[in-house]
Amino acid sequence: MKKTSLENAFNSYFHDKQLFKEFLEIDVNFEYEDIFYSKNTFSPSKQLKQFQQFLNLFIFDFMTVNTNVVFSYRKGVGSIDAVIPHKNSKYVYTTDIKSFFTHINIDNVKKLIIDSSDNYLILKDDIVKYIDRILSLVTYKNILPIGAPTSPKISNAYLFNFDNDIESYCKLNNIIFTRYSDDFIFSATNKECFIELETMVIKLLNTSQYRDFSINDKKTKVQKRDYNINILGLVITSQGHITVDKKSKDNLEVLFHFYLSDKSKFKEIFEKYYDSSIEKVSGKISHIQSIDKVYITKLKKKYGSYVVNSFIHRDITNE
């Protein structure tokens, strides 16, 4: 892997459409818009987002992640891949970390970037030289901002040591472990093993590296396979079949029903659940199809292939 300077990489990536001088001088304080309905969530300006995507390509995409257990923010895998390993387990234990992104502060990010600098396409000397500039572009108000395209990559890598330690513990105790962002999923045939597991998770989070993290007790639960198990918006049925939640199915079927029977009511439902966006409906159907093709086949039998395909291919109008 041939390394290059940060400036050469920048010029190669942008082909004079952005200036390296602007990359070095842009004031991030004026480049974010607060998302009012979500705390610590910010929308970066177009230019800042482009700079962050450049940093992903040359730096953060090369950070080490435990790909055995982590299925968030990685190409080619998604939430269903985090759920599949648990579909035959009798008990599933789920929990998450409180305010995950925002408890990764600028000092945490700096150490992570420096410690992983041998992995990048950028020369190590340049990482050190420009570290303060890089930090200013990927943090905001001294924290990892939700909404920046660099934040997911950084957060994945930040938990690398935790993932490794928990994976080792789980292998020794016949527990299956996967992670999707800040959501931890464990499953086993014996419910009692989760008692010691919780103690281990808390112990690891109390280490110096993760001392700012804490488990979200309100989202911690144990589910039994005798009933449907809900994880990451997906459902494992008592027969071990993975599908989407009932609410998503119901909303979609109501939409199809009124599309065929009452266009006025259809408009109302279309706006209420999908903001009158055919892209959202198409995306929802495609998402379900990637998880549960059997259900999509049932939809086509019930409402007609033409109707379902029209929504998938965005060939309907709200009229």
Side-chain angles (χ1 to χ4, degrees):
M1 182 173 66
K2 188 175 180 180
K3 294 178 180 287
T4 186
S5 70
L6 186 65
E7 185 171 3
N8 284 342
F10 183 93
N11 292 332
S12 173
Y13 180 78
F14 285 107
H15 301 291
D16 299 324
K17 293 179 181 178
Q18 295 284 358
L19 299 177
F20 190 64
K21 184 175 184 290
E22 292 183 9
F23 175 83
L24 296 179
E25 295 179 355
I26 188 172
D27 188 343
V28 175
N29 292 315
F30 299 100
E31 301 297 323
Y32 277 109
E33 180 182 348
D34 286 27
I35 305 299
F36 70 92
Y37 54 81
S38 183
K39 186 178 180 182
N40 293 318
T41 302
F42 308 94
S43 177
S45 68
K46 180 179 179 181
Q47 185 179 43
L48 176 57
K49 190 173 184 179
Q50 288 177 341
F51 290 163
Q52 292 168 337
Q53 288 168 335
F54 157 72
L55 291 172
N56 269 346
L57 186 63
F58 285 87
I59 296 177
F60 302 119
D61 280 352
F62 293 92
M63 284 185 160
T64 306
V65 174
N66 185 331
T67 55
N68 293 330
V69 300
V70 181
F71 297 94
S72 50
Y73 318 127
R74 291 177 47 217
K75 291 180 180 179
V77 297
S79 57
I80 188 169
D81 298 289
V83 173
I84 287 173
H86 306 278
K87 68 177 186 176
N88 294 319
S89 297
K90 187 172 183 179
Y91 295 95
V92 176
Y93 172 95
T94 53
T95 190
D96 70 9
I97 295 174
K98 290 181 182 177
S99 305
F100 179 42
F101 277 26
T102 54
H103 279 115
I104 304 175
N105 61 45
I106 192 168
D107 292 330
N108 301 145
V109 177
K110 182 176 183 178
K111 185 177 187 306
L112 180 65
I113 292 173
I114 295 295
D115 288 350
S116 304
S117 56
D118 287 335
N119 300 338
Y120 313 142
L121 293 180
I122 306 301
L123 292 166
K124 188 172 183 177
D125 288 347
D126 265 26
I127 296 296
V128 174
K129 178 181 178 180
Y130 293 109
I131 186 62
D132 289 336
R133 171 77 307 206
I134 295 169
L135 286 170
S136 71
L137 292 171
V138 302
T139 61
Y140 184 53
K141 298 180 179 179
N142 291 322
I143 62 172
L144 202 62
I146 302 170
T150 43
S151 294
K153 303 281 187 179
I154 294 170
S155 71
N156 251 8
Y158 185 66
L159 278 180
F160 180 66
N161 291 331
F162 174 89
D163 292 330
N164 291 346
D165 290 340
I166 286 293
E167 181 189 28
S168 296
Y169 173 85
C170 289
K171 282 183 177 179
L172 288 173
N173 291 275
N174 298 315
I175 301 171
I176 298 170
F177 165 53
T178 60
R179 178 169 69 82
Y180 192 87
S181 187
D182 61 338
D183 288 294
F184 302 150
I185 310 167
F186 304 93
S187 65
T189 56
N190 189 338
K191 184 179 179 181
E192 282 65 36
C193 66
F194 294 147
I195 298 173
E196 292 186 8
L197 170 67
E198 184 171 335
T199 302
M200 176 58 69
V201 171
I202 293 171
K203 179 181 178 181
L204 289 174
L205 293 181
N206 284 336
T207 61
S208 58
Q209 183 178 1
Y210 303 117
R211 62 179 177 273
D212 293 329
F213 288 156
S214 60
I215 290 297
N216 191 341
D217 293 331
K218 292 181 179 179
K219 293 187 177 180
T220 299
K221 60 182 177 181
V222 175
Q223 301 178 73
K224 190 177 180 182
R225 175 92 176 277
D226 290 350
Y227 310 93
N228 286 349
I229 294 175
N230 295 277
I231 315 172
L232 302 177
L234 304 178
V235 175
I236 303 176
T237 68
S238 57
Q239 292 78 33
H241 177 66
I242 298 175
T243 186
V244 296
D245 60 280
K246 187 176 183 298
K247 183 178 179 181
S248 294
K249 291 180 177 179
D250 288 348
N251 289 346
L252 204 55
E253 295 203 36
V254 167
L255 188 73
F256 288 154
H257 171 75
F258 285 118
Y259 179 74
L260 292 171
S261 63
D262 187 334
K263 284 297 193 291
S264 177
K265 191 68 177 176
F266 165 75
K267 282 186 177 183
E268 181 184 327
I269 299 298
F270 193 28
E271 181 178 1
K272 180 178 179 181
Y273 294 120
Y274 301 100
D275 300 323
S276 299
S277 169
I278 184 59
E279 288 79 12
K280 287 189 177 182
V281 182
S282 175
K284 174 62 73 174
I285 300 171
S286 296
H287 172 65
I288 296 173
Q289 192 166 28
S290 69
I291 294 163
D292 189 352
K293 291 183 175 62
V294 173
Y295 177 67
I296 297 299
T297 299
K298 289 179 180 178
L299 280 182
K300 289 181 178 181
K301 287 182 179 179
K302 186 173 182 179
Y303 299 101
S305 294
Y306 178 79
V307 171
V308 175
N309 288 333
S310 293
F311 277 91
I312 293 174
H313 300 301
R314 306 173 188 179
D315 290 335
I316 67 105
T317 57
N318 187 18
E319 296 179 358

